Amino acid sequence: MTRSSPNDRPGTGIGASVLRNEDGRFLHGRGQYLADLDIAGVRDVAFLRSPVASARISAIEIDPADRDRVFTLGDLGAVKPVRAVLRDEAFRPSDYPVLAGDHVRFVGEPIAMCIGANRAFAEDLAQAVFVDFDETPAVTDLLAALDDDAPRVHSHWPDNVAYVHRLDNGDLDAARRDAAVVVEQRCRMNRQSVVSLEGRAVLAYWDHRQNELVVYSSTQFPHVIRTILADLLGLEERKLRVVAVDVGGGFGVKNNLQQEEVAIAALALRVPYPVRWIEDRREHLIASPQAREHDYDIRAYADAQGRILGIESRVVVDAGAYSIWPWSSAMEGNMANGMVPGPYNVPAYSGRGITVASNKPPLGPYRGVGRPGACFAIERTIDEIARAVGRDPYDVRMENLIRPEQMPFQSIVGRFYDSGDYPESLRRAAELIGREQIRLEQQTPMADGRLLGLGFAVYVEQTAHGTQEWLSRKLTEVYGYEAATLKFMPDGGLVIEAAVQNHGQGLETSLAQVAASELGVDPRKVTVRHGDTAVSPYGMGTFASRSMVMSGGAVGVVARQMADKIRRIGAFMLEVDATLVELRDDAAWAGERSVPLARITRAALQHPEELPPGEEPGLEISGTYQPEISTGAFSYATHAVKLAVDTGTGQVELLDYVVVHDCGTIVNPMIVEGQIVGGVAQGIGTALLEEVPFDGNGQPLASTFMDYIVPGPVEVPDVRVDHLVHPSPYTRYGIKGMGEGGAIGAPAAVLNGINDALRPLGVSVNETPMTPARLLAAIVAQREAAR
Amino acid sequence: MKPMPFQYHRAASLDDALTVLGQAAGGGRLLSGGQSLVPMLNLRLLPADVLIDLKRLTALHAVDTTGDSIRYGACITHARFEDGDVPDACGGLLRHVGGGIAYRAVRNRGTLGGALALADASTDWVTAMMTAGASVELYGVRGTRRMSVSEFVQGPYQTRIDPDTEILVAVTVPQVSRTSRWGYYKIMQKPGEYASSLAGVLIDREHGHSRATLGGANRAPLALERTATTLATAPAWSAALETALSEAVRADLSSAGRGGEPWEQASWTTCVLRAARHALTSTQSPNGHPCP
């Protein structure tokens, strides 16, 4: 494995591969997840969920003996429905009731809550409730949803279109006129589940001592959840506390307001005991927010060298039955439309992102949001342009990539790419995967009869979106900053209180490393407290590859102020000027002499008499951070994959996988590598395995792991990672976010590799997941056509 | 995903199990390894009033070797085959198959008899035991019945057992000759997951028979007669044999009326050809350690 050498600095601060502070509890199986909480008297809730995709509810019959243990919408009082919109009148709003009212619009939609002493009893109760459904035709296909005679998901809409996102820039007429080749491409990325290992979970009770509602939730953003819950429940926000304990993976599915969160919180206001809901895997696969489901229709105009002159694109995204808060149903389609031009010089672009409603679960964010599809579509297009002009896809990619001297670069759709050397990442990836060697190997058949393929994908990953970005996306909520409090203890240990939520990103370590860089404190003596509205200042949470830039920045800003104060006190004790004091190794240094950090902290917290005249006691500082520009920091990477296609079975084996990645300044190379490899694993799932298909009645056909296949150790090769380092000019420390990229590049690279392998057969495939059935069907169809 | 309430009964004897099964009047389920039954109960896909646990009946764990066959108790786990803990009547085929079922955690508990009695189309033992020419023994209130596995399994989840009066207690497998050869292949999206198709091949010229079986595809397992005949006299793997086998498979599918999408037919053919190739090209020791 190529180590992350460029940034792997000695020491414990920014750039060092220190072991994670959280490893101890996780590796010993001592993590504390929501279901591990031992709350006295808690009762379990099972949701009665709709078994049909589209129906009017004509009756709900509950045994009178069970009436105090079964709650429907009408039993919850004045809870507002969730309404997630864009700040655009063209966006078609819809209400998402906390529990279904008169209608159900997808299989799995919650209808009632049933309370039992344990989950089994609660499920028995749910089974005993009788619901009378008048079924109506369901919308189950994203293109058919656009038909004039399609049934309507929301009867007050004129059709099923929630939003059309339009981007037009450049001279497409000129592109059409000058084009030597026109490449038309259809690509489909099917619907997926998100599959966090820990499902969603909520526990709530009224705390009489604090006179507040306590809501534990497996969420990525507790403060934001508190704000919206207070609004929907009609509670004062100060009377709500939202806590996320250890969260066993989020990937976006816990970055939404969940109906179950609202419902359980509302229930806790009505029953005199704690209630909890622990999502099981079947619910997770059927009823949690799902992801992807894009259909692209692309036309690319290029010159004889394969240089892109213009692109026309239409992507239709199936956003499911409801718009989920805060992102709205249009987030996925808008992002996909905006990211089709990718890392390339595209002089003219006309793109439409059409969001349609269907009778499926709502679409929510999933690692990559929109971009895995956009990357898949444009990267397949690049390969097909290369084929059309008779060049190697590598050369055509090089021809079109934005060059380092163009940086910073304003993209055709107005995105501001801050820095980087995209061609160099492609060049290095080609070198590491052994492109020229693979091209030679392809000239002789593999001994076992399989076909060898080489695939590339290059992408940009917009991260740490700031105020301007959220405003331009017309979101009602703006996640422009992050906040942190730093507190020293008298013994020199540091506590960081952060508003983000760590769910596997190693933030309890990397935030400590930022503090270490500023304060010279050993990261092992730093505790990061997070995920609890009662603990940290208000902030936004962990999503959109923002935490290291935003929260790291906030910790850095506050730590710098703290360092100034510590230097002043240290200078007084060392009897030197503060400018001569250096903080490292848990001490303040002036040349050879030092004073331990613990002596300074004791003075500041316990012994004001030891402080310099005029220095206030105390070592607790809060602050916020927003980057210099709020349009985001852009990471990028090239993925390269070598694979073999078995034309007898349609199976694909990944033989080698390379990622050459640039996320600016790397805080902890080991964590960064883990994030990249984890993302690639999920991208491989998208490429080859994961899909929630629906039948014509809207019934999900993958509701257990028997049918929903996720990648395992055999499917994920040893991913080799190399780094370029172009720090962002606009963020503190030059950090760029990087949590999502692995998942963005992999589907495109794998599908390009498969198509490269199939080229001798004249077969082309443009759909994910590329299952053995789909692949073999394409091969056999081509064989029959040739006969 | 919690089961509905049910009674649990640990059977003291086979007759005790039959008594409780009869009393349950259609609501009884026999529990062996539970690797399919328990998830189905948890998903509330199957009703069950009483679970009758057979696992403690030592007779169902026994192995009896006679001159020309081996009788395996129904509660023998896949892991015991995998570990070579029981003799292999098929020169290594059963050990190979046992070791390839799902994941080790499943193999530790899942049993031969349970898998055959459930008769999921993707179950390895259905395909493997048909290939082996095995028969099952059904113990019931009206006595014991024996029938070949191919007769026993009628389709996915459909067998000739009477679920209220009979228990599958053993599987008897004829011993192959020392010169026999076997091949086995399955196509899965991911190792350990359910196979979309499975094929087993056994060529035993000394005993004068050869068999080829195609399983999976949510259909009844298929004995491929022409394919087996072609293999019976095949000298060695060759391109000509591959062509001949492809045509034999096609003829077998056609005469069985086994329809499917063209890609499915292609996939099934691949599966059988690879099992055949495995049989003819791998190095096989008589004691059952395949060396591909």
Side-chain angles (χ1 to χ4, degrees):
Chain A
M1 181 141 337
T2 309
R3 288 311 311 268
S4 317
S5 49
N7 240 33
D8 206 346
R9 293 189 202 141
T12 56
I14 291 173
S17 280
V18 300
L19 291 175
R20 293 180 305 181
N21 287 338
E22 47 269 66
D23 283 344
R25 72 176 189 278
F26 290 142
L27 297 181
H28 288 103
R30 294 183 194 129
Q32 192 187 39
Y33 302 92
L34 199 142
D36 298 323
L37 289 175
D38 193 6
I39 306 279
V42 70
R43 300 194 193 181
D44 276 291
V45 173
F47 279 90
L48 171 64
R49 296 179 181 277
S50 177
V52 295
S54 175
R56 198 178 71 80
I57 295 177
S58 53
I60 300 178
E61 290 171 21
I62 301 163
D63 188 328
D66 298 334
R67 202 61 197 82
D68 60 339
R69 294 177 293 155
V70 178
F71 288 76
T72 60
L73 183 62
D75 302 323
L76 293 181
V79 180
K80 291 186 204 165
V82 178
R83 175 168 279 219
V85 298
L86 291 182
R87 295 193 224 197
D88 185 336
E89 285 186 359
F91 181 87
R92 295 229 177 90
S94 60
D95 283 344
Y96 188 2
V98 173
L99 297 172
D102 299 337
H103 285 84
V104 287
R105 292 185 177 84
F106 67 92
V107 172
E109 183 169 355
I111 296 172
M113 286 181 283
C114 305
I115 306 173
N118 61 39
R119 175 66 182 246
F121 289 127
E123 287 186 18
D124 292 345
L125 207 51
Q127 200 163 13
V129 175
F130 176 79
V131 185
D132 197 5
F133 298 102
D134 295 333
E135 283 193 65
T136 50
V139 178
T140 60
D141 177 81
L142 78 175
L143 296 181
L146 294 168
D147 291 346
D148 290 339
D149 58 352
R152 273 170 297 150
V153 177
H154 298 285
S155 56
H156 63 287
W157 291 9
D159 50 37
N160 289 315
V161 177
Y163 192 65
V164 179
H165 186 249
R166 299 164 201 275
L167 292 167
D168 295 283
N169 200 3
D171 188 350
L172 258 183
D173 288 335
R176 290 191 193 99
R177 191 182 60 236
D178 300 338
V181 293
V182 181
V183 168
E184 293 186 3
Q185 190 77 354
R186 288 296 295 269
C187 295
R188 185 174 285 217
M189 178 168 279
N190 286 304
R191 182 173 273 249
Q192 278 185 251
S193 176
V194 176
V195 190
S196 49
L197 275 186
E198 183 208 22
R200 300 173 299 153
V202 189
L203 184 156
Y205 60 91
W206 188 266
D207 180 332
H208 291 281
R209 183 176 63 86
Q210 296 288 354
N211 197 29
E212 68 183 6
L213 180 67
V214 179
V215 180
Y216 284 91
S217 179
S218 187
T219 181
Q220 298 173 222
F221 56 163
H223 292 272
V224 173
I225 290 299
R226 180 178 62 176
T227 301
I228 183 69
L229 279 182
D231 176 42
L232 296 174
L233 298 174
L235 276 179
E236 284 182 75
E237 199 163 341
R238 68 186 175 88
K239 292 188 176 176
L240 251 170
R241 177 183 174 196
V242 177
V243 190
V245 289
D246 278 331
V247 170
F251 310 113
V253 76
K254 297 170 183 174
N255 180 214
N256 309 296
L257 173 70
Q258 317 283 353
Q259 302 309 101
E260 292 88 348
E261 269 169 335
V262 189
I264 294 290
L267 183 61
L269 295 173
R270 276 162 180 76
V271 294
Y273 41 78
V275 282
R276 70 171 186 180
W277 163 71
I278 313 290
E279 182 178 61
D280 67 28
R281 186 57 61 189
R282 192 151 184 264
E283 287 180 292
H284 185 82
L285 290 172
I286 290 175
S288 67
Q290 296 179 342
R292 320 290 192 227
E293 196 158 28
H294 306 184
D295 184 280
Y296 293 85
D297 189 350
I298 286 189
R299 180 175 297 187
Y301 304 93
D303 70 13
Q305 290 297 301
R307 189 187 299 261
I308 295 168
L309 303 175
I311 292 175
E312 286 173 282
S313 168
R314 183 191 85 157
V315 55
V316 182
V317 172
D318 182 339
Y322 297 104
S323 179
I324 58 176
W325 193 91
W327 308 113
S328 92
S329 59
M331 170 182 63
E332 183 82 4
N334 298 1
M335 179 66 112
N337 185 34
M339 289 314 290
V340 165
Y344 300 108
N345 279 297
V346 176
Y349 180 66
S350 173
R352 296 290 175 271
I354 301 172
T355 298
V356 300
S358 74
N359 292 107
K360 298 180 193 173
L363 211 64
Y366 174 34
R367 202 172 200 169
V369 179
R371 292 160 291 187
C375 176
F376 169 47
I378 186 66
E379 290 302 305
R380 283 294 305 121
T381 304
I382 294 278
D383 271 34
E384 293 305 320
I385 291 172
R387 192 178 284 203
V389 299
R391 297 183 74 191
D392 192 288
Y394 173 85
D395 296 319
V396 170
R397 247 178 209 94
M398 261 320 168
E399 190 85 54
N400 285 290
L401 281 173
I402 294 159
R403 297 181 305 280
E405 64 270 20
Q406 293 176 278
M407 291 291 173
F409 180 85
Q410 189 86 35
S411 85
I412 188 73
V413 297
R415 282 193 162 79
F416 187 73
Y417 298 173
D418 55 355
S419 58
D421 187 343
Y422 301 174
E424 176 62 13
S425 81
L426 174 61
R427 197 193 60 72
R428 265 213 225 177
E431 196 176 287
L432 280 173
I433 199 87
R435 180 179 75 96
E436 289 173 12
Q437 178 61 29
I438 293 170
R439 290 297 181 221
L440 285 176
E441 285 176 46
Q442 284 178 315
Q443 290 172 13
T444 45
M446 286 177 81
D448 57 12
R450 293 187 298 174
L451 296 174
L452 193 62
L454 169 64
F456 287 97
V458 192
Y459 66 86
V460 291
E461 178 186 4
Q462 186 177 15
T463 72
H465 326 287
T467 306
Q468 196 50 49
E469 174 65 19
W470 298 117
L471 288 174
S472 70
R473 290 200 205 171
K474 302 178 180 177
L475 240 67
T476 56
E477 314 303 308
V478 177
Y479 304 112
Y481 72 96
E482 202 47 69
T485 298
L486 268 63
K487 295 176 180 173
F488 267 108
M489 302 293 112
D491 65 1
L494 179 68
V495 175
I496 297 173
E497 294 167 348
V500 291
Q501 205 289 326
N502 177 35
H503 45 283
Q505 296 87 348
L507 288 164
E508 290 167 35
T509 307
S510 47
L511 292 180
Q513 286 180 261
V514 172
S517 283
E518 297 287 352
L519 292 160
V521 62
D522 183 338
R524 284 168 300 189
K525 293 184 184 169
V526 180
T527 297
V528 177
R529 306 189 70 172
H530 60 86
D532 186 342
T533 57
V535 158
S536 76
Y538 195 91
M540 306 308 169
T542 293
F543 53 88
S545 300
R546 68 190 297 281
S547 293
M548 209 54 235
V549 174
M550 296 285 190
S551 189
V555 169
V557 165
V558 175
R560 184 70 58 88
Q561 290 173 38
M562 187 74 92
D564 289 344
K565 182 164 185 173
I566 286 174
R567 260 194 291 269
R568 287 197 301 273
I569 302 169
F572 179 70
M573 291 174 169
L574 290 162
E575 299 179 327
V576 296
D577 191 89
T579 55
L580 301 175
V581 175
E582 189 194 346
L583 302 181
R584 61 181 156 83
D585 303 328
D586 291 308
W589 296 78
E592 303 274 290
R593 296 186 304 125
S594 69
V595 53
L597 192 55
R599 208 188 130 201
I600 296 171
T601 54
R602 281 204 194 282
L605 294 165
Q606 294 180 301
H607 292 281
E609 75 279 8
E610 294 178 18
L611 294 177
E615 189 70 65
E616 286 189 17
L619 280 175
E620 177 169 338
I621 306 177
S622 294
T624 62
Y625 171 73
Q626 35 187 344
E628 281 173 48
I629 56 167
S630 61
T631 50
F634 284 78
S635 291
Y636 61 93
T638 298
H639 288 208
V641 61
K642 177 185 181 183
L643 53 77
V645 174
D646 184 334
T647 56
T649 63
Q651 286 169 318
V652 176
E653 184 190 359
L654 307 185
L655 304 171
D656 191 11
Y657 203 107
V658 165
V659 177
V660 178
H661 187 265
D662 187 347
C663 58
T665 302
I666 296 173
V667 176
N668 184 319
M670 210 154 49
I671 290 176
V672 162
E673 191 165 302
Q675 286 284 317
I676 293 170
V677 174
V680 168
Q682 288 184 307
I684 289 169
T686 301
L688 297 173
L689 299 165
E690 297 182 43
E691 180 178 5
V692 185
F694 289 80
D695 72 10
N697 296 317
Q699 290 292 334
L701 302 179
S703 61
T704 70
F705 279 152
M706 193 171 98
D707 297 309
Y708 192 88
I709 311 289
V710 292
V714 178
E715 290 71 41
V716 182
D718 192 5
V719 178
R720 298 187 289 143
V721 180
D722 195 14
H723 291 283
L724 307 176
V725 178
H726 290 82
S728 171
Y730 309 108
T731 67
R732 195 171 181 96
Y733 309 113
I735 299 169
K736 301 171 179 177
M738 52 74 54
E740 300 167 85
I744 296 174
V750 170
L751 266 288
N752 273 339
I754 292 171
N755 280 285
D756 186 56
L758 294 179
R759 217 176 152 181
L761 307 182
V763 174
S764 149
V765 286
N766 288 309
E767 186 168 6
T768 69
M770 190 37 62
T771 57
R774 289 195 172 107
L775 189 44
L776 197 53
I779 292 170
V780 170
Q782 174 68 21
R783 211 181 282 153
E784 307 240 311
R787 194 171 280 164
Chain B
M1 285 204 289
K2 304 289 180 195
M4 285 182 271
F6 58 80
Q7 301 291 315
Y8 171 85
H9 179 79
R10 180 177 291 157
S13 66
L14 279 176
D15 290 326
D16 173 48
L18 283 176
T19 304
V20 177
L21 194 58
Q23 286 164 352
R29 296 271 171 195
L30 298 172
L31 175 67
S32 181
Q35 295 305 289
S36 296
L37 177 59
V38 172
M40 286 161 103
L41 290 173
N42 283 343
L43 290 164
R44 301 190 176 216
L45 291 174
L46 271 185
D49 298 330
V50 55
L51 282 193
I52 303 157
D53 190 347
L54 303 177
K55 200 77 177 183
R56 295 288 179 96
L57 300 180
T58 48
L60 299 187
H61 296 268
V63 180
D64 303 305
T65 305
T66 59
D68 57 358
S69 66
I70 300 179
R71 180 180 178 275
Y72 298 96
C75 283
I76 292 174
T77 60
H78 316 321
R80 291 188 67 196
F81 283 96
E82 176 181 23
D83 296 345
D85 195 30
V86 294
D88 192 326
C90 296
L93 170 64
L94 304 184
R95 185 172 190 177
H96 174 84
V97 168
I101 296 171
Y103 303 92
R104 178 73 196 193
V106 171
R107 300 196 287 270
N108 282 336
R109 287 180 173 273
T111 64
L112 169 64
L116 285 174
L118 181 68
D120 184 313
S122 301
T123 299
D124 286 85
W125 285 129
V126 170
T127 301
M129 287 302 178
M130 269 182 66
T131 306
S135 58
V136 295
E137 194 175 312
L138 309 176
Y139 179 78
V141 287
R142 285 179 293 277
T144 298
R145 294 198 290 158
R146 290 181 182 81
M147 67 187 77
S148 67
V149 171
S150 53
E151 197 185 344
F152 174 69
V153 178
Q154 298 184 299
Y157 307 109
Q158 289 182 324
T159 69
R160 296 179 79 95
I161 202 167
D162 179 343
D164 297 325
T165 65
E166 284 182 313
I167 300 172
L168 194 164
V169 292
V171 181
T172 300
V173 184
Q175 299 229 42
V176 296
S177 73
R178 293 178 63 83
T179 57
S180 73
R181 307 193 64 84
W182 57 267
Y184 194 76
Y185 197 82
K186 49 182 181 170
I187 299 178
M188 300 161 285
Q189 247 195 310
K190 172 179 165 179
E193 296 299 328
Y194 283 89
S196 61
S197 45
L198 318 84
V201 160
L202 185 72
I203 307 165
D204 192 344
R205 289 180 191 137
E206 216 172 304
H207 287 171
H209 56 71
S210 65
R211 293 187 205 91
T213 313
L214 175 65
N218 281 323
R219 291 166 170 88
L222 208 57
L224 306 168
E225 306 290 347
R226 286 208 200 190
T227 307
T229 307
T230 309
L231 279 170
T233 54
W237 187 259
S238 67
L241 176 64
E242 188 169 350
T243 308
L245 281 173
S246 299
E247 289 183 5
V249 173
R250 187 176 306 134
D252 280 328
L253 291 173
S254 165
S255 62
R258 169 78 81 102
E261 298 291 325
W263 72 265
E264 289 180 295
Q265 306 259 0
S267 186
W268 298 332
T269 306
T270 298
C271 198
V272 176
L273 289 184
R274 289 191 184 174
R277 187 177 178 143
H278 182 207
L280 290 173
T281 58
S282 66
T283 313
Q284 294 177 351
S285 79
N287 293 326
H289 297 279
C291 320

